[in-house]
Amino acid sequence: MQMHKGRATAALAWEVCARSRSALMWLIGVTAVSLLLNIVFSSSIAQGRSDSHAGGFPLFISMLEMTLAGTSVLLFLAVFGCTELNSQTGLMGFPRRLFVLPVSSFQLVAIPAVFGMAAVELLLLLFRSDWYSETNNLDLLLMPIYLIVYQSVLWTLSSLRAVRLLVVGFIAVIFLMLLSMLRFQGVPQGRIIAYFMASGVVAFAVSWTYVARQRSGGGSTSGWIHFVPQLSRREKVFPSRIAAQAWFEWRRSGQMLPTLVAVLLVLLIAPLSWFMRSDAGMSSFILVATLSMPVLLALPIGKAFSKPDLWSSDLIIPPIVAVRPLSSREFVLVKLEVAAKSAAISWLFVSVFLMIWLSIWANALRPDYRMIGLTIFLGMLLTWRSLISGLWLGLHGNPRLFVISGLPYGIIPFFGLAGGLWLIRNQPYAMNWLTDHMNVVLPQVEWIAAILILVKLSAAVLSWWKVERAWAYLLFWISSTLTLIALATRVSTYVPPLSHSLVLIAVLITPLARIGIAQASFERNRHR
Amino acid sequence: MVENIIEIHNLSRCFGSKNALKDVSLSVPRGTVFGLVGENGAGKSTLIKHILGLWRAEAGQVRVFGHDPVSNPVAVLERIGYLSEQPDLPDWMRVYEYMRYMQAFYPKWDVPYAESLRAQFGVDRNARVRVLSKGQRAKLGLLGAQAHRPDLLLLDEPSSGLDPIVRNDILTAVIRTVADEGRTVFFSSHLLEEIERVSDHVAMLHQGRLVLYGPLDRIKAQHRRITLRFETPQPKAPLIPGALSVNGAGREWTVICNRQRSQIQSLTMSFGTEIVGEDAASLNEVFIAHANA
Amino acid sequence: MPLQLNPSSGVPLYLQLIEQIKHAIETGALRTGDQLPSVRQMAEELMINPNTVVRAYRELEHEGVIELKHGSGAFICESIAPRTKLMQKAHSVVQQAMDRLESLDLTEDEIRRLIENELGRRRSRPTKKKYTW
């Protein structure tokens, strides 16, 4: 009996690793590279972290190392989430097929937990650095608890699907904040540690109970919470095919962005803005964050939205849609329409929140309402653009193309963040350099923009030539581009030298060729 | 007007190295029931997906209602009611939402008829598809395929894994479709008794090739089951040219043949055997004989 | 109408239907002037293709057994009487033969096998002898 138990444990342990083998390989690779960088360039990294006036290379290498560490954390979470797509419920959750194994529910839950905790310890030990050691090695004790809570959330709240990521991210932020509070004296360390341990025990107990209950068939199969509020409830008949498909698409993928924005506003930004209401710097940071949040969220969501079905991992058109008498033009128009509705409602939430915040408890802020208005308008456009600009790739149905086109989403934010941080640190230096070299830089920008416009227009002609033309969209493109040009002209009265560049960039913003290509991609995907 | 609803000429399709369809040609006349049989992996679903335009014809031609389903999907799909093995209904939809969704795509959708079908099938309006049983999902899919009275009812192994009551409903749908003027049914099935009951024409796919094609009555008339009695017991199956399959033991052997009757008769005279029985072969025997040939 | 069709047997369905309707007429279940179910009703009841029913009805009309009145339906004709008489004569022949076979102490299954074997043999023979009544 003992031998069998040992075998079962070993088998389950192996399963944890083998399930996401590729992610595990990536994790080991990224960790190894990060460690290597740490060892080889340790002085530069230390300099980049501590010295606020550090130059290019130390800053770059320290940012790279941090990003790699961050990536390894994300990969680690992916591997040790221990979830699988359950065909019975259609959700990613605790693998139900393990229920038939001759092991107790305790073992089913404990083995991934123990493994995860051991891996956390390993990672923390590998990445010892000044910041962590200030917490008296308490992070070695407390961060593994986060893993237990993480697994618990992933398993028990499986019906929330991707919103779970928000929850675990939120909890991670809280853990990190509490951990950094431990640095300070005068904080009741004992109590905080006790809360941590208690939450770990509770989370484990919840996981155990949940798995045991699901194993014996108890409870509803869709989990404990029915989320995703239905923002549309119609009993009337659909006036057209496009309306019906738009309803379908909205229910399936359109509600994602507004829901996330609303949750973030209510759970994170509103409380933060309240607590920081007397701090001008933090308040303006929160304002900037609120205004940029929908656009930033729209980038990854847009990648998922560009697939024929947001929720499925493959790129085929769902059979219920593929067999409907719906043309590719209509399908793409539906995606555009739903994206617009999504963006509009998200920004509606943001606007409402801003109205309440700025008028009631934003004591430290003196905002320029016209700038905010302009930002909201641009934000809506950029959000919509982020959602649909990947359609031509996502609808194509080629998985390799999809993955390769997603790589820039990981690389560009990193460089953008590095560049942004460098700019903030070296602001006077950067501004001086820019004003000095304005005469050289600006014409380059104008030339590049003009060439891009030519490319855009010729690509548009080529792509729209063969497919059914969506005149409604062309009309929309013309009106939106004209509006943007008017806006750019208005803005450039404040900054005359930039007028040409701004106008040229205004022409580039609204996607044109991509929509035609998206139609062709959809057709290719539908008739393989 | 008598025309062919579906016309397939020399259709071939490969998936990688596998030849899914090899040079298949068939026509489905208006107002008939066309049954497609074949073992698993023979290419039935592939053929049906070509009719729907979900697969592009690599070689050959597919015409449905005179249109190419790839270049003109809307005109073709508007007149087709399709039910597949797994009805592919979204889990999250409620029954009334599904009916409302489907209604928007088909101008000929008959709301009272759809409602009567729903009541007859006993599917709750407010239930989510997730909680429906397999049979109820099949019925809902059948409702969606039938309620707009399509000119072509396309069924891809609709009865697999379903209880006899649901199978009855599907057969009734087939019969009602054809009973209405000018409507056609094309369905693939493993259940040969269903094919025998309702088909006018039958085609059989074996490893991507069409091995049988024609009116069901003619096929059944042409395939004969001949029982031979040998003088001496045969240790193993005797080689009889022209026979599709030979079964039996000892002295009596049963041969299934396709129109090769006279050849077999002359052969058996030379073998010194006696024909003790002759009958029309059942479709089941024909199917197995061709599959093993 | 309690008609039983066997799709798996070698006999085409429309012939089976014709035989069964004729049988119903001979046994008296259907009389002259009775209306047969419509094509749609018959097809739905028997779970067969309506085209099969149409073919059977047309064949019966061709043989003069039924009459298809446009718009009203199918009705049994009056001219089936001679055939009925023939069937009654044949029935008495079969009765006599059965009596003799039973006196030989044969079971029902053996009798059935004999008859089927004989029918099979006759089908495979190139020529048929016709007995005159």
Side-chain angles (χ1 to χ4, degrees), chain B residues 60-156:
Chain B
Q61 210 189 52
V62 177
R63 291 286 177 267
V64 184
F65 305 114
H67 299 290
D68 179 9
V70 170
S71 52
N72 204 346
V74 178
V76 167
L77 291 173
E78 237 177 7
R79 298 162 70 182
I80 292 183
Y82 173 61
L83 181 63
S84 75
E85 229 179 319
Q86 309 108 338
D88 306 315
L89 303 170
D91 271 346
W92 50 272
M93 260 199 207
R94 293 187 195 267
V95 169
Y96 76 88
E97 288 174 340
Y98 173 71
M99 288 167 67
R100 215 163 29 104
Y101 174 69
M102 295 290 276
Q103 184 183 354
F105 287 93
Y106 302 102
K108 292 195 289 177
W109 184 276
D110 187 343
V111 177
Y113 181 45
E115 188 53 40
S116 72
L117 280 175
R118 187 200 63 76
Q120 183 195 325
F121 291 156
V123 181
D124 177 27
R125 267 191 104 236
N126 288 315
R128 281 190 202 265
V129 169
R130 186 184 302 145
V131 303
L132 295 179
S133 71
K134 186 171 177 189
Q136 285 178 312
R137 280 187 220 202
K139 286 190 204 172
L140 188 59
L142 188 63
L143 191 159
Q146 254 193 300
H148 65 281
R149 302 195 201 272
D151 292 325
L152 173 64
L153 188 63
L154 197 56
L155 306 172
D156 187 357

Side-chain angles (χ1 to χ4, degrees), chain A residues 230 233-234 236 238 240-241 244-245 247-248 251-252 319-320 322-327 526-528, chain B residues 13 53-56 69-70 73-74 77-78 82 88 90 92-93 96-97 100-102 104-106 128:
Chain A
Q230 296 190 29
R233 207 175 243 293
R234 301 217 295 189
K236 302 192 295 279
F238 293 118
S240 70
R241 299 199 287 245
Q245 189 59 28
W247 166 84
F248 183 94
R251 283 288 296 271
R252 194 77 180 132
I320 186 176
V323 189
R324 297 280 82 77
L326 190 71
S327 69
R526 189 190 208 174
H527 315 287
R528 292 195 172 206
Chain B
R13 176 81 197 202
L54 296 179
W55 291 124
R56 205 181 282 263
V70 170
V74 178
L77 291 173
E78 237 177 7
Y82 173 61
D88 306 315
W92 50 272
M93 260 199 207
Y96 76 88
E97 288 174 340
R100 215 163 29 104
Y101 174 69
M102 295 290 276
F105 287 93
Y106 302 102
R128 281 190 202 265

Side-chain angles (χ1 to χ4, degrees), chain A residues 135-462:
Chain A
T135 59
N136 305 331
N137 295 335
L138 276 173
D139 60 325
L140 282 176
L141 181 64
L142 299 172
M143 289 319 278
I145 294 177
Y146 174 72
L147 186 88
I148 298 192
V149 176
Y150 169 78
Q151 281 181 338
S152 180
V153 167
L154 278 191
W155 293 337
T156 53
L157 298 178
S158 56
S159 65
L160 292 185
R161 297 178 204 251
V163 179
R164 286 178 288 182
L165 295 176
L166 214 64
V167 176
V168 296
F170 189 55
I171 295 178
V173 166
I174 293 180
F175 268 57
L176 285 171
M177 284 202 309
L178 284 176
L179 209 62
S180 56
M181 283 204 326
L182 283 172
R183 267 198 271 171
F184 303 113
Q185 312 298 354
V187 170
Q189 284 204 349
R191 261 215 233 147
I192 291 182
I193 294 176
Y195 285 148
F196 265 85
M197 306 294 273
S199 63
V201 169
V202 165
F204 185 82
V206 166
S207 297
W208 187 10
T209 322
Y210 175 80
V211 167
R213 199 154 163 258
Q214 289 295 312
R215 203 175 188 185
S216 54
S220 60
T221 50
S222 60
W224 295 350
I225 302 176
H226 284 274
F227 207 60
V228 188
Q230 296 190 29
L231 290 171
S232 61
R233 207 175 243 293
R234 301 217 295 189
E235 290 284 348
K236 302 192 295 279
V237 170
F238 293 118
S240 70
R241 299 199 287 245
I242 290 189
Q245 189 59 28
W247 166 84
F248 183 94
E249 195 64 43
W250 171 253
R251 283 288 296 271
R252 194 77 180 132
S253 45
Q255 296 174 320
M256 179 101 187
L257 182 65
T259 313
L260 283 179
V261 166
V263 165
L264 271 178
L265 281 175
V266 168
L267 288 182
L268 192 66
I269 295 185
L272 264 178
S273 68
W274 173 260
F275 286 123
M276 304 289 179
R277 62 187 183 280
S278 33
D279 183 347
M282 274 308 283
S283 289
S284 43
F285 177 71
I286 292 175
L287 180 65
V288 169
T290 312
L291 287 173
S292 52
M293 171 191 53
V295 184
L296 291 177
L297 275 180
L299 288 169
I301 291 180
K303 197 79 187 109
F305 188 80
S306 68
K307 293 185 289 180
D309 180 23
L310 180 130
W311 292 105
S312 70
S313 55
D314 60 41
L315 294 168
I316 60 167
I317 302 171
I320 186 176
V321 176
V323 189
R324 297 280 82 77
L326 190 71
S327 69
S328 56
R329 174 189 70 94
E330 287 165 342
F331 187 86
V332 170
L333 276 181
V334 161
K335 281 273 190 189
L336 297 178
E337 198 183 298
V338 169
K341 191 170 168 184
S342 215
I345 293 187
S346 312
W347 279 98
L348 184 69
F349 288 161
V350 169
S351 309
V352 165
F353 168 73
L354 283 178
M355 276 199 305
I356 297 176
W357 175 31
L358 292 177
S359 48
I360 296 182
W361 70 82
N363 306 329
L365 277 181
R366 295 282 171 267
D368 180 356
Y369 287 103
R370 278 160 74 191
M371 275 301 289
I372 291 182
L374 183 69
T375 317
I376 291 180
F377 171 73
L378 277 178
M380 266 201 258
L381 193 64
L382 284 176
T383 310
W384 176 75
R385 186 181 191 277
S386 306
L387 285 175
I388 61 151
S389 59
L391 273 179
W392 64 291
L393 290 164
L395 289 182
H396 192 260
N398 188 338
R400 253 176 262 144
L401 194 67
F402 188 72
V403 168
I404 290 174
S405 63
L407 286 177
Y409 280 78
I411 299 175
I412 288 181
F414 157 69
F415 280 109
L417 211 65
L421 259 174
W422 184 87
L423 268 178
I424 292 175
R425 283 191 186 177
N426 300 292
Q427 201 172 13
Y429 175 66
M431 288 303 289
N432 288 335
W433 185 90
L434 208 62
T435 43
D436 287 340
H437 293 93
M438 190 71 89
N439 306 327
V440 180
V441 169
L442 263 182
Q444 306 284 4
V445 169
E446 286 169 22
W447 270 111
I448 294 175
I451 291 174
L452 285 177
I453 289 178
L454 278 174
V455 168
K456 179 192 180 87
L457 288 175
S458 32
V461 168
L462 279 172

